[in-house]
């Protein structure tokens, strides 16, 4: 631990010395022009500045100081980032540099709970104190008020710069083998009852198959959320927009109906017997070998499966499937997962706070959005009328990001997701178009919690969740009868459901009372 701390601190001390030598400003008090004007435009050439940064290091896109994105950002803002990346886990590196009091100017944090914790401990700058000098971010907050509120701490402070656009990668959808359904004369099911009948038909036709499989063991919370939203309930505490109140889904009748349906799938061999523990590789093997025909997963799986499997079977066709409604007259909806939790923060010990704020404001301008989404016109993209198109040498999103550094850690906040869509296959673009039709009217609120509220969620909430998960498994496998549902509900309530819901209500009411400046 001491050696790791010494290495990290040595790296930041060296970078900080270099930044101090090469920066011509101190807290923006030298009368310099702002880096970006209110409309994102530039006046004279921006003044050169150097900031230090701790950024995440994705193994798919390992940090590269030679990426063009750094040059492009420097040309527009005058800023050079001297970057350090974690030698191990990001969370450990953050804890070390914060404890050392030798923090870099900018730090990437994986979620808002972490940034709020560090911010309330005095390690991070409250961005809202500088909002009047950030016209682009201020305008952005007016355009995306819910995203802005979601970025606030429990006391109305903002310690992390909000993101918008890139969360589209997190869409969770239903997918199905359209070619198999067409071959067997099956229409896309619109309800769970229709899905059940389709799965029975496929099981009869392909007796060695498990027509529906999901990697529940890998991402159980995400799967629970998807399964429950189809039945008009929630996987835990959720906000009912019609009743305008928080409810606990797993004690509701609609949740019981969901459990009963999945038990029916289990009893009749329509899902794998080990589906509760199914991991990614097992699930991928089942889908790729034709043992499963319907699944739930992230939207990028459309291309993931089609690109790999069409090499052996050109007729194969994995496509978006509209989410089936669980209850009679119910809504066909997918959960709202398409948002980002991580983002950049500013250290309270920075000697360049005002300049860093001006730099970050650029990212919320239209010019900044275009640059961090598409790159530079003529170099990476061309305009055809009002439409941007990547140049022919860019044909794959992953390779584009590896070559340019676009949308890697520390290079974006607000992006135009059409940049990604333009490089996707027609099948995946169609999936995005169709998926948007089944978005819920509003995303679930994401209020920030106080320390005592987080304790309730960590202790009471986890105890409730543990009993819910154990009971779900028992109900599905038949080791506990659904005839004991009312007893189960009482057990859950006795663990503190009312206390949990009151905690969410308090945090939500507090968030709603905040007026953005």
């Amino acid at each position: 631990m001491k050696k790791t701390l010494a290495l990290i601190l040595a790296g930041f001390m060296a970078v900080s010395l270099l930044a101090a030598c090469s920066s011509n400003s101190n807290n923006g008090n030298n009368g310099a022009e702002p880096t970006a004007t209110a409309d994102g435009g530039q006046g004279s050439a921006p003044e050169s500045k150097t900031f230090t940064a701790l950024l995440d290091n994705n193994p798919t896109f390992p940090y590269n100081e030679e990426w063009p994105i750094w040059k492009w950002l420097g040309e527009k803002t005058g800023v050079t980032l001297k970057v350090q990346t974690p030698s191990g886990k990001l969370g450990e590196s953050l804890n070390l540099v914060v404890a050392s009091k030798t923090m870099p100017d900018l730090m990437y944090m994986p979620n808002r709970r972490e940034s709020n914790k560090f911010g309330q401990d005095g390690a991070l700058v409250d961005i809202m104190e500088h909002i009047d000098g950030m016209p682009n971010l201020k305008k952005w907050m007016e355009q995306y008020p819910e995203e802005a509120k979601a970025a606030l701490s429990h006391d109305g402070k903002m310690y992390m710069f909000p993101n918008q656009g890139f969360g589209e990668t997190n869409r969770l959808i239903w997918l199905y083998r359209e070619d198999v359904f067409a071959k067997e004369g099956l229409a896309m099911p619109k309800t769970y009852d229709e899905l059940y009948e389709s799965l029975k038909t496929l099981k009869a036709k392909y007796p060695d198959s498990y027509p529906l499989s999901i990697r529940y063991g890998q991402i159980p919370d995400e799967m629970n959320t998807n399964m429950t939203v189809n039945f008009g309930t929630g996987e835990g505490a959720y906000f009912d927009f019609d009743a305008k109140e928080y409810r606990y889904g797993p004690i509701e009748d609609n949740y019981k109906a969901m459990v009963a349906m999945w038990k029916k799938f289990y009893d009749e061999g329509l899902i794998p017997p080990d589906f509760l523990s199914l991991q990614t590789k097992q699930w991928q093997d089942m889908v790729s070998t034709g043992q499963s025909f319907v699944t739930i997963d992230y939207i990028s799986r459309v291309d993931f499966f089609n690109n790999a499997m069409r090499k052996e079977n050109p007729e194969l066709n994995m496509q978006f499937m509209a989410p089936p409604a669980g209850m009679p007259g119910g809504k066909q909806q997918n959960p709202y997962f398409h948002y980002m939790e991580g983002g950049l923060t500013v250290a309270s010990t920075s000697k360049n706070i005002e300049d860093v704020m001006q730099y970050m404001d650029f990212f919320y301008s239209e010019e900044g959005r275009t640059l961090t989404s598409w790159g530079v016109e003529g170099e990476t993209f061309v305009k055809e009328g009002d439409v941007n198109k990547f140049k022919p040498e860019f044909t794959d999103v992953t390779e584009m990001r590896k070559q340019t550094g676009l949308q890697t850690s520390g290079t974006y906040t607000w992006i135009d997701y059409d940049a990604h869509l333009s490089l996707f296959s027609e099948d995946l673009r169609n999936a995005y178009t169709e998926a948007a039709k089944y978005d819920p009217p509003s995303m679930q609120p994401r209020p920030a919690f106080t320390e005592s509220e987080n304790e309730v969620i960590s202790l009471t909430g986890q105890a409730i969740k543990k009993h819910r998960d154990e009971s779900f498994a028992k109900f599905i496998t038949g080791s506990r009868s659904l005839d004991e549902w009312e007893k189960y509900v009482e057990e859950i309530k006795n663990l503190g459901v009312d206390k949990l819901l009151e905690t969410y209500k308090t945090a939500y009411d507090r968030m709603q009372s905040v007026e953005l400046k």
Side-chain angles (χ1 to χ4, degrees):
M1 177 66 77
K2 289 182 179 179
K3 183 177 180 181
T4 302
L5 177 58
L7 288 172
I8 292 174
L9 296 185
F12 277 121
M13 287 175 68
V15 168
S16 299
L17 285 171
L18 178 58
C21 292
S22 57
S23 177
N24 293 321
S25 63
N26 183 14
N27 283 317
N29 293 327
N30 59 351
E33 291 286 323
T35 299
T37 60
D39 63 356
Q42 300 293 318
S44 57
E47 183 181 357
S48 296
K49 305 177 182 71
T50 300
F51 307 141
T52 54
L54 172 63
L55 303 179
D56 200 8
N57 202 21
N58 189 309
T60 306
F61 316 103
Y63 168 74
N64 184 345
E65 65 179 347
E66 299 300 323
W67 273 333
I69 182 60
W70 304 121
K71 176 174 72 75
W72 300 331
L73 286 170
E75 290 170 351
K76 291 295 182 181
T77 66
V79 169
T80 297
L81 288 187
K82 294 298 180 181
V83 174
Q84 289 280 313
T85 57
S87 56
K89 294 181 179 179
L90 175 63
E92 293 174 356
S93 294
L94 287 170
N95 286 331
L96 289 172
V97 297
V98 171
S100 73
K101 308 296 184 183
T102 57
M103 295 176 283
D105 298 306
L106 284 163
M107 293 179 286
Y108 179 87
M109 296 200 175
N111 57 66
R112 192 160 45 98
R113 183 170 180 174
E114 289 292 301
S115 62
N116 286 346
K117 178 188 72 174
F118 286 125
Q120 286 152 18
D121 287 343
L124 303 178
V125 175
D126 174 16
I127 298 163
M128 296 301 291
E129 291 184 357
H130 303 267
I131 196 67
D132 288 338
M134 304 178 73
N136 295 312
L137 177 56
K138 195 170 187 178
K139 182 179 178 181
W140 182 93
M141 289 169 59
E142 293 170 357
Q143 185 175 349
Y144 299 99
E146 294 307 312
E147 292 286 358
K149 282 189 176 183
L152 299 177
S153 64
H154 71 85
D155 52 358
K157 296 180 179 179
M158 183 184 288
Y159 297 112
M160 177 189 289
F161 288 100
N163 290 289
Q164 200 280 329
F166 198 71
E168 286 289 333
T169 59
N170 292 332
R171 281 185 178 273
L172 201 69
I173 65 168
W174 285 78
L175 304 98
Y176 77 126
R177 283 282 301 276
E178 188 181 59
D179 57 314
V180 174
F181 271 63
K183 178 183 177 182
E184 304 305 333
L186 298 172
M188 182 192 298
K190 295 180 180 179
T191 67
Y192 258 79
D193 287 335
E194 292 178 7
L195 174 64
Y196 169 67
E197 294 299 330
S198 296
L199 297 177
K200 282 205 306 180
T201 298
L202 292 169
K203 182 70 174 181
K205 185 72 175 180
Y206 308 94
D208 293 334
S209 72
Y210 295 102
L212 170 61
S213 68
I214 59 176
R215 52 185 183 127
Y216 188 94
Q218 190 79 37
I219 47 173
D221 291 342
E222 290 85 343
M223 291 301 169
N224 282 330
T225 302
N226 193 293
M227 291 151 62
T228 53
V229 76
N230 297 152
F231 282 80
T233 182
E235 59 89 26
Y238 76 99
F239 191 78
D240 184 328
F241 286 96
D242 294 328
K244 294 181 172 52
E245 65 179 10
Y246 269 97
R247 305 170 66 92
Y248 190 71
I251 61 174
E252 297 182 328
D253 289 342
N254 284 20
Y255 188 93
K256 180 183 178 182
M258 182 274 291
V259 174
M261 182 60 77
W262 280 83
K263 175 172 172 51
K264 186 189 295 189
F265 292 164
Y266 180 87
D267 290 345
E268 299 188 25
L270 305 180
I271 56 178
D274 59 346
F275 98 98
L276 289 167
S277 60
L278 209 61
Q279 300 293 307
T280 299
K281 187 178 186 311
Q282 298 167 282
W283 164 75
Q284 285 179 179
D285 289 346
M286 294 186 70
V287 176
S288 62
T289 57
Q291 296 180 63
S292 293
F293 313 108
V294 182
T295 190
I296 303 169
D297 216 84
Y298 292 106
I299 194 167
S300 61
R301 293 289 184 175
V302 171
D303 275 0
F304 176 85
F305 284 119
N306 284 339
N307 291 344
M309 295 159 60
R310 282 176 181 167
K311 294 174 183 177
E312 293 185 9
N313 180 6
E315 302 302 315
L316 184 140
N317 199 14
M318 181 69 81
Q319 293 293 331
F320 167 86
M321 187 180 101
M327 304 297 290
K331 298 176 182 178
Q332 292 180 263
Q333 288 185 347
N334 283 318
Y336 197 110
F337 279 130
H338 32 293
Y339 55 83
M340 291 288 289
E341 282 287 345
L344 290 168
T345 63
V346 182
S348 60
T349 54
S350 171
K351 294 183 172 17
N352 303 294
I353 291 174
E354 292 300 332
D355 287 340
V356 171
M357 293 297 172
Q358 288 298 306
Y359 169 67
M360 291 304 302
D361 193 54
F362 171 74
F363 289 84
Y364 296 94
S365 67
E366 289 291 346
E367 185 179 15
R369 184 185 187 221
T370 298
L371 175 68
T372 58
S373 305
W374 295 92
V376 174
E377 184 175 359
E379 290 188 49
T380 54
F381 77 96
V382 295
K383 290 189 76 71
E384 295 184 3
D386 294 330
V387 177
N388 293 340
K389 289 190 176 182
F390 278 109
K391 296 181 72 174
E393 55 263 39
F394 298 106
T395 59
D396 177 83
V397 170
T398 300
E399 291 305 312
M400 178 274 290
R401 294 171 70 189
K402 285 181 179 178
Q403 292 176 43
T404 64
L406 288 168
Q407 296 105 52
T408 59
S409 181
T411 69
Y412 68 94
T413 59
W414 180 35
I415 73 160
D416 176 5
Y417 201 69
D418 283 348
H420 281 213
L421 290 176
S422 71
L423 296 178
F424 289 155
S425 70
E426 183 178 349
D427 290 331
L428 187 49
R429 286 198 301 271
N430 176 69
Y432 272 98
T433 300
E434 290 300 310
K437 299 175 183 178
Y438 299 95
D439 283 345
S442 301
M443 70 169 132
Q444 281 289 307
R446 291 179 284 150
F449 299 101
T450 64
E451 186 175 345
S452 60
E453 289 165 351
N454 273 320
E455 186 174 344
V456 171
I457 292 169
S458 296
L459 298 177
T460 303
Q462 284 302 309
I464 294 170
K465 182 177 182 292
K466 182 175 184 289
H467 190 60
R468 178 206 70 184
D469 291 345
E470 291 173 349
S471 299
F472 177 75
K474 290 176 180 178
F475 285 137
I476 295 292
T477 59
S479 61
R480 184 175 189 179
S481 171
L482 269 172
D483 292 340
E484 296 186 20
W485 178 260
E486 294 304 324
K487 183 181 178 183
Y488 151 78
V489 170
E490 282 303 309
E491 293 165 355
I492 286 281
K493 286 183 175 180
N494 288 339
L495 289 171
V497 164
D498 288 343
K499 182 179 181 181
L500 182 67
L501 293 179
E502 184 60 30
T503 299
Y504 274 90
K505 180 183 183 302
T506 299
Y508 172 77
D509 290 345
R510 184 174 58 236
M511 180 180 76
Q512 291 301 102
S513 69
V514 172
E515 292 186 11
L516 297 172
K517 296 180 182 179

